[in-house]
Amino acid sequence: RSGCDWSSDVCSSDLGWAPFTEAVQRDVEATLAAGKHEVEFGVRGFLYRLDLTRMLQKNLSTGNVRPVRRVRV
């Protein structure tokens, strides 16, 4: 692990921040290490695009956009 946890803001359900799966977190950290600023991943049948510059996650099916955060642990 990278020593960081990634999560998205699930503001519509009052759940607060939902952690990314371990696999997605590894992909995101690898993307950052490669100097890239965007990564796509699938979760629960949805495809998402994560903008690492703007720290936003977009659901590519619905167009819904949510903030994301990276917290050192």
Side-chain angles (χ1 to χ4, degrees):
R1 291 209 33 182
S2 68
C4 294
D5 282 335
W6 285 89
S7 55
S8 61
D9 187 2
V10 191
C11 54
S12 63
S13 64
D14 292 329
L15 294 176
W17 294 90
F20 289 2
T21 66
E22 291 291 326
V24 170
Q25 291 199 46
R26 282 192 303 271
D27 288 348
V28 172
E29 289 295 326
T31 299
L32 280 174
K36 298 180 182 176
H37 302 284
E38 261 188 15
V39 61
E40 290 186 3
F41 58 91
V43 175
R44 295 183 306 271
F46 290 99
L47 184 61
Y48 296 91
R49 179 177 297 129
L50 181 57
D51 180 330
L52 298 167
T53 302
R54 295 174 45 213
M55 296 298 283
L56 295 173
Q57 167 189 295
K58 181 176 184 177
N59 181 315
L60 298 180
S61 297
T62 67
N64 188 37
V65 176
R66 292 184 174 154
V68 298
R69 69 180 181 181
R70 181 181 189 228
V71 178
R72 293 203 181 275
V73 291

